[in-house]
Structures are given as structure tokens and as C-alpha cells.
Amino acid sequence: AKTGMGVDDLLEGILLLAEYKELTAVKDCPASGTIIEARLDKGVGPVATCLIQQGTLNVGDYIVAGTVVGKVRALLDNNSKQIKSAGPSIAVSIHGLSEVPNAGDQLISVEDEKLAKKVAQERYNKEREEMQRKSDARSLDDMFKGASNGERKLKVMYKVLLRLLNKSLSNLARVLQTKMLLLQLFMQV
């Protein structure tokens, strides 16, 4: 794999097998896919690149990407040309989301805005419950009750996105300096 030997043979074998077994994706159903990347573009707003895996995504469809809701205002192909619809195995840039979704989020198209908001809220609640289950149930006050009057330490597992790293750390450090705390950050990227 490191030298690239046999890659062409492997790809040819996969294509031959797919053709032999007549493997195709379903086109006539609501679209679903995965967000590959997302960014906030000046003048355009949130833009997400998505790989459509099933169904067809059309301009005007209501979509949910992770916990983000939107209505497809424009679809751009890999040549930055506007298209009206995107079928399976096509990567498209989607304009019209309310926020920037996370890479790896699942995208689905739904019938109307009400259903989109309901699905997004359910996903948000599920994520929140998982975060609460993972976090320790103790409050900061409980953590510091037993601490001596000397140096106080707070260990934090802090998973950050690279684009928010600088702002988050500077705001956190400023807040904690006023509280006379020593913060040990263990970054998990």
C-alpha cells in the first residue's frame, strides 16, 4: 500500500465486482449522506461539503446535518458550478444551513421544516444526554470543598476543534485567572 503497487488492479477488481453484482445506490428516496467538511464563508454563510450516499438531494429540500437545520438554497458541484440536484456518490457544496455542522455528521433530507427542527432537536437531546452521562456529576464547588487553601488544581479533558482552539483557551484562561485557579489542560484532538 505504501508503494502503490496493485492499487490499479484492486480498483479494477472492485469495479468489475460492482458491475457483475449490479450494485447501485437507491436514487428515488430522500437523500442521506455524510458531511465531509464545513466552513463559514463570508457573504455566503455556512457552507458544507457533503457526499451523497443514497437518494437525490434537490435545491429547496429541507435538510438536517447533525443538529443543524437548513433549506438547500444552492448546490455546487466539484467545479463550483450550480446544479439543481445531486444523486448518490456525488460530492456537493450545500448553501442554506443555519449553522456550520461538524465534519462526519450525518445529513438527511426531510419533508418540511417542522420535521427538520424536530429531528435536529432529538439529535441535540441525545448528544446532551450522552455528554451528561460521560461527565462527572459533581459540581465545581464539590470538587474544591476538600481542597486545601493553597494551590487548587482542576484537571479538564478538553476536546477542541482546531478553529476554536485559540479563542476558547484565551477566554477560559481569562476567566480562571480571576478565580485564582491553576488549570491543567489535557488536549485530546
Side-chain angles (χ1 to χ4, degrees):
K2 290 183 180 181
T3 62
M5 286 182 54
V7 172
D8 293 332
D9 294 335
L10 178 63
L11 291 174
E12 186 178 329
I14 291 171
L15 290 173
L16 185 64
L17 184 63
E19 187 177 327
Y20 174 73
K21 290 192 171 190
E22 296 179 8
L23 300 175
T24 57
V26 180
K27 291 182 182 179
D28 301 328
C29 68
S32 65
T34 304
I35 300 295
I36 299 170
E37 67 174 345
R39 66 187 184 285
L40 185 60
D41 195 356
K42 286 185 179 180
V44 177
V47 177
T49 303
C50 178
L51 179 63
I52 306 298
Q53 295 167 327
Q54 242 184 12
T56 303
L57 184 64
N58 300 306
V59 173
D61 286 354
Y62 290 97
I63 56 174
V64 180
T67 58
V68 178
V69 178
K71 181 177 181 178
V72 179
R73 304 221 186 283
L75 291 173
L76 302 175
D77 65 3
N78 58 347
N79 296 322
S80 297
K81 293 182 181 177
Q82 283 200 0
I83 57 176
K84 295 190 187 269
S85 64
S89 75
I90 295 178
V92 292
S93 291
I94 302 169
H95 298 206
L97 294 166
S98 60
E99 297 175 32
V100 179
N102 295 322
D105 282 349
Q106 293 299 311
L107 176 133
I108 59 169
S109 66
V110 293
E111 296 174 8
D112 58 7
E113 186 176 13
K114 185 178 179 181
L115 182 59
K117 287 182 179 181
K118 181 180 177 185
V119 170
Q121 186 63 41
E122 288 174 1
R123 287 182 176 182
Y124 175 76
N125 291 341
K126 186 175 179 182
E127 281 183 14
R128 189 171 174 187
E129 287 174 10
E130 287 178 21
M131 292 296 287
Q132 286 177 348
R133 248 185 267 129
K134 289 180 182 178
S135 69
D136 199 7
R138 299 179 347 187
S139 68
L140 285 176
D141 293 333
D142 294 339
M143 292 175 77
F144 291 127
K145 277 185 182 174
S148 64
N149 289 338
E151 184 181 18
R152 299 179 186 177
K153 293 185 179 182
L154 172 64
K155 295 183 180 181
V156 179
M157 290 298 282
Y158 197 65
K159 185 175 183 178
V160 293
L161 297 171
L162 292 177
R163 63 188 158 113
L164 298 177
L165 177 64
N166 291 334
K167 188 174 183 179
S168 297
L169 290 179
S170 64
N171 289 341
L172 188 59
R174 194 172 343 141
V175 169
L176 291 176
Q177 279 179 345
T178 61
K179 301 289 185 181
M180 302 287 294
L181 296 175
L182 174 64
L183 177 66
Q184 295 178 348
L185 290 175
F186 297 95
M187 296 184 66
Q188 176 184 355
V189 179

